[in-house]
Amino acid sequence: MKTLLDKLWDAHEIHRRDDGASLMWVDRHFVHEGSHHAFAKLAGRGGTVAEPGLTFGVVDHYAPTRGPAASPEIARMIETLENNTRDHGIICFGLNDPRQGIVHVIGPEQGLTLPGLLINCGDSHTSTHGAFGALAFGIGATEVAHVLATQTVWQKKPKSMRITVTGRLASGVGAKDLALAWIAMLGADGAQGHAIEYAGDTVRGLTMEERMTLCNLSIEGGGRFGMVAPDQTTFDYVSGRPFAPGGEDLDRAIGFWQTLSSDANAAFDKEVALEASDIAPIVTWGTSPQDALPVTGTVPDPSRLSGADAGRVRAALDYMGLMPGRALADVEIDQVFIGSCTNARIEDLRAAAAVLSGRRAKVPGLVSPGSRLVQAQAEAEGLDKIFTEAGLDWVGPGCSMCVAMNGDRVEPGKRCASTTNRNFRGRQGRGARTHLMSPAMVAAAAITGRLTDVRPMLGSEAAA
Amino acid sequence: MSGWTRHTGKAVALDLESVDTDQLITARFMSTPRAEGYGRFLLYDLRFDSEEQPVPDFPLNRVPDASILVARRNFGSGSSREAAVYALVDFGIRTVIAPSFGDIFASNAVNNGLLPAQADEAEIDALIDELAGGAVHATVKLEHGEIEIGSRKLAFTLDAAWREKLINGWDDIDLTEQHHPAIARYRDRRAKAQPWAFPAGQTAG
């Protein structure tokens, strides 16, 4: 009786040492500007890239979203990646490539991400690719150098954890809310040491893009791996993509991919169950993704907590400039951001646009599509007009204001409703105050200028 | 990277939970080449105020020669940025003691000779209380999984493979060298049995 994790692990394990460390084959390796440390390490030992054909470069972390690079340092980071990939014969989706975008958006988009693969990238949100039933996990620079040099990675097999979600998500509630709900329940370290498999009829009913959002946020609950067993939804998404197999190869692949699910009686080290209908639209109030509550709630009161918890909540509220007991829906915001590897795919933009259509935003904001192809699709559908007519800026693709490396940032003390993945202190800029939520919820906040329950704003056509 | 078995230095408490890697090193410093050193960036926005002046009460400002850090749970959560470890190591930190660590941070730490020493949460709570604002001498005994810290003896857990790696200062690329024939065999087998696992015609798209 094997879990999906067991099957994927066994299929990639080349060697296991007595101490439990496994040498694993890497099918796809994505590098970005931040990989400069790893290329420098490789150069330092005079090494070469073992499998340039399985390695793909992407400009995303420092990609300018408006005009040229904001500083010479930023321009240098991009140039360094383009030079390193060129020198090693690696395809790079650079700034002038029509396929450029955020690595976790374009991997799936290009058909580089497939079920049954082991995928690495020097980025913790690599768990996103697990949505296809792949073993995908973020690694550090030393490991990136190792993958470049050997196309393998040493890794100890994590414990297994299954999060089963059953029932129907209400209108206005989606994958982002689902993810924040379990992270709030289990804590930011709730899945530490574990690979998460998301299962249950609710997960089966999610689109690929929603599954990507769910898997993307695994690391915010401490899980380095998040995955969903592939099914017809997955096969339909993959078919016809540029780097995906076609013809007989695809038929053979699908035959194999259909075996990639946990056996009926497979045992997990940890099991968690959630009822979808219990989940409301969620916003974060603090400085950790676990600080998440239904938007109908109130800011927690540290005086009702004890010990380290009270201290942590007090410090978080102090940083966030929030009063205990205040209704979350009364919290005024200064700006919004719609973007990032979590929520910048076409369905995310449609969900936000559905709320913003025909309305005006009270606060300024940026909308940054996940890739150039998403940008083109959105423009073909007229979504860009909806955003700009609402008063928001429609900009180019990249990590942008999620990681604040390219010059897009939230100024000190400003409060941003954001579709991103981290509300850490200073994440969006020094002193920035981030509230995480879904694209539809960010759109609602833009319209009212405060944290807002999107549900009453939705028409008969549900936007999740 | 050189191996080590024992380290003696000053320990200081950082009374914070979930110190994420964004705080350990803020994004704006990450375009700096490693050769320039990352120590000055460590926990910058906590160590320095908005006027760029040192925050006098901050533990690492009070004890700038500390080499052992005691913190609360979920240390090093978040981003995979290895620069967070560079900042700690370049500052002079050799060991972080906490009830739990972010998975990616912990493996990055070991790859740079930094010990992520996982210890019992209640003992760490008591230790942080005892340290309060001050520093104590501590000795880390890697082989014994034990830290003498002030009047206490603290047992820590560490994966066996990681302990070996820290003690021997192993470099994974060197270790993998001996497995090259097995890697080549695996690749051939996969290319034959599962050709779909390789990217279709790379000029596509």
Side-chain angles (χ1 to χ4, degrees), chain A residues 11 51 53 142 146 156 430, chain B residues 48 82 159 176 186-187 202:
Chain A
E51 297 278 355
T142 302
H146 187 274
K156 193 157 185 177
R430 187 167 192 176
Chain B
F48 298 92
E82 195 163 303
D159 178 73
T176 304
Y186 178 94
R187 190 202 196 282
Q202 296 213 333

Side-chain angles (χ1 to χ4, degrees), chain A residues 11 25 27-28 45 51 53 76 123 140-142 146 154 156 189 192-193 243 252 257 422 424 427 430, chain B residues 20 22 31 48 73-74 78-80 82 101 103 108 159 171 174 176 186-187 190 193 196-197 200 202:
Chain A
W25 174 255
D27 292 302
R28 296 287 185 280
R45 38 189 311 141
E51 297 278 355
R76 199 192 62 220
D123 189 280
T142 302
H146 187 274
W154 287 100
K156 193 157 185 177
D189 54 0
Q192 230 161 45
F243 290 95
R252 284 175 67 190
W257 294 342
R422 290 187 171 133
F424 296 162
R427 168 80 175 183
R430 187 167 192 176
Chain B
D20 54 73
D22 271 84
S31 56
F48 298 92
R73 65 192 287 178
N74 202 25
S79 159
S80 61
E82 195 163 303
F101 294 90
D103 288 342
N108 289 344
D159 178 73
D171 176 296
D174 292 338
T176 304
Y186 178 94
R187 190 202 196 282
R190 189 154 179 78
W196 52 263
Q202 296 213 333

Side-chain angles (χ1 to χ4, degrees), chain A residues 14-15 29 47 56 64 178 251 312 317 381 404 422 424 450:
Chain A
I14 297 169
H15 173 76
H29 185 205
F56 295 84
L178 186 49
D251 296 339
R312 201 192 71 76
L317 295 186
E381 295 178 20
R422 290 187 171 133
F424 296 162
R450 52 185 168 74

Side-chain angles (χ1 to χ4, degrees), chain A residues 11-12 14-15 17 19 23 25 27-28 36-37 41 45 51 53-54 56 62 73 76-77 91 99 114-117 122-124 138-143 145-146 149-150 152 154 156 188-189 192-193 222 224 242-245 249 252-253 256-257 312 403 405 422 424-425 427 430, chain B residues 17 20 22-23 27-28 30-34 38 44-46 48-50 52 72-74 77-82 86 100-104 107-108 111-112 159-161 171-176 179-180 182-183 186-187 190 192-202 204-205:
Chain A
H12 291 88
I14 297 169
H15 173 76
R17 284 200 312 244
D19 61 21
L23 184 66
W25 174 255
D27 292 302
R28 296 287 185 280
H36 69 100
H37 290 296
K41 264 178 215 285
R45 38 189 311 141
E51 297 278 355
L54 300 181
F56 295 84
Y62 289 82
E73 290 75 29
R76 199 192 62 220
M77 289 294 283
I91 290 179
R99 302 166 293 180
L114 301 173
L117 300 187
D123 189 280
S124 61
I139 55 178
T142 302
E143 292 168 316
H146 187 274
T150 68
T152 61
W154 287 100
K156 193 157 185 177
D189 54 0
Q192 230 161 45
R224 196 173 185 176
F243 290 95
D249 266 355
R252 284 175 67 190
F256 175 73
W257 294 342
R312 201 192 71 76
V403 73
M405 283 178 170
R422 290 187 171 133
F424 296 162
R425 284 167 169 263
R427 168 80 175 183
R430 187 167 192 176
Chain B
E17 182 183 312
D20 54 73
D22 271 84
Q23 288 183 77
R28 66 182 184 276
M30 285 174 56
S31 56
T32 309
R34 175 72 192 281
Y38 272 54
Y44 191 93
D45 290 350
L46 293 173
F48 298 92
D49 64 22
S50 52
E52 311 282 327
R72 297 199 186 272
R73 65 192 287 178
N74 202 25
S77 51
S79 159
S80 61
R81 54 186 72 174
E82 195 163 303
Y86 303 159
S100 63
F101 294 90
D103 288 342
I104 308 178
S107 60
N108 289 344
N111 279 329
N112 289 276
D159 178 73
D171 176 296
D172 278 344
I173 298 180
D174 292 338
L175 285 187
T176 304
H179 299 290
H180 274 177
I183 296 170
Y186 178 94
R187 190 202 196 282
R190 189 154 179 78
K192 285 196 188 81
Q194 298 182 315
W196 52 263
F198 292 77
Q202 296 213 333

Side-chain angles (χ1 to χ4, degrees), chain A residues 30-34 56-65 69 74-83 85 91-97 99-104 106 370-372 397-400 406:
Chain A
F30 295 108
V31 293
H32 55 80
E33 304 95 303
F56 295 84
V58 188
V59 173
D60 59 2
H61 282 67
Y62 289 82
T65 52
I74 289 168
R76 199 192 62 220
M77 289 294 283
I78 295 168
E79 269 170 43
T80 303
L81 175 72
E82 293 182 340
N83 292 341
T85 48
I91 290 179
C92 182
F93 303 106
L95 282 185
N96 297 319
D97 193 304
R99 302 166 293 180
Q100 180 262 340
I102 306 172
V103 59
H104 309 310
I106 73 165
S371 71
R372 303 250 177 134
C399 299
S400 182
N406 75 335

Side-chain angles (χ1 to χ4, degrees), chain B residues 26-110:
Chain B
T26 303
R28 66 182 184 276
F29 300 127
M30 285 174 56
S31 56
T32 309
R34 175 72 192 281
E36 290 180 25
Y38 272 54
R40 65 204 150 111
F41 303 139
L42 177 66
L43 293 162
Y44 191 93
D45 290 350
L46 293 173
R47 279 168 60 213
F48 298 92
D49 64 22
S50 52
E51 311 288 308
E52 311 282 327
Q53 295 305 306
V55 175
D57 282 349
F58 195 74
L60 291 175
N61 289 338
R62 276 200 321 267
V63 191
D65 57 345
S67 61
I68 298 162
L69 210 51
V70 186
R72 297 199 186 272
R73 65 192 287 178
N74 202 25
F75 189 91
S77 51
S79 159
S80 61
R81 54 186 72 174
E82 195 163 303
V85 174
Y86 303 159
L88 286 160
V89 169
D90 291 358
F91 189 88
I93 304 294
R94 301 290 299 277
T95 296
V96 181
I97 305 168
S100 63
F101 294 90
D103 288 342
I104 308 178
F105 172 85
S107 60
N108 289 344
V110 171

Side-chain angles (χ1 to χ4, degrees), chain A residues 307-388:
Chain A
D309 280 347
R312 201 192 71 76
V313 169
R314 200 168 283 120
L317 295 186
D318 182 50
Y319 179 84
M320 293 296 291
L322 292 175
M323 294 294 289
R326 188 165 183 203
L328 286 166
D330 286 340
V331 174
E332 292 186 348
I333 58 161
D334 299 299
Q335 63 195 95
V336 299
F337 177 65
I338 297 172
S340 86
C341 60
T342 307
N343 281 127
R345 297 179 183 82
I346 192 67
E347 291 173 14
D348 298 316
L349 300 184
R350 286 178 190 144
V355 177
L356 283 160
S357 181
R359 294 175 165 131
R360 285 286 300 175
K362 262 195 185 153
V363 295
L366 279 192
V367 185
S368 175
S371 71
R372 303 250 177 134
L373 291 175
V374 171
Q375 182 175 13
Q377 178 66 31
E379 288 171 3
E381 295 178 20
L383 305 185
D384 58 321
K385 292 282 184 303
I386 293 175
F387 294 125
T388 52

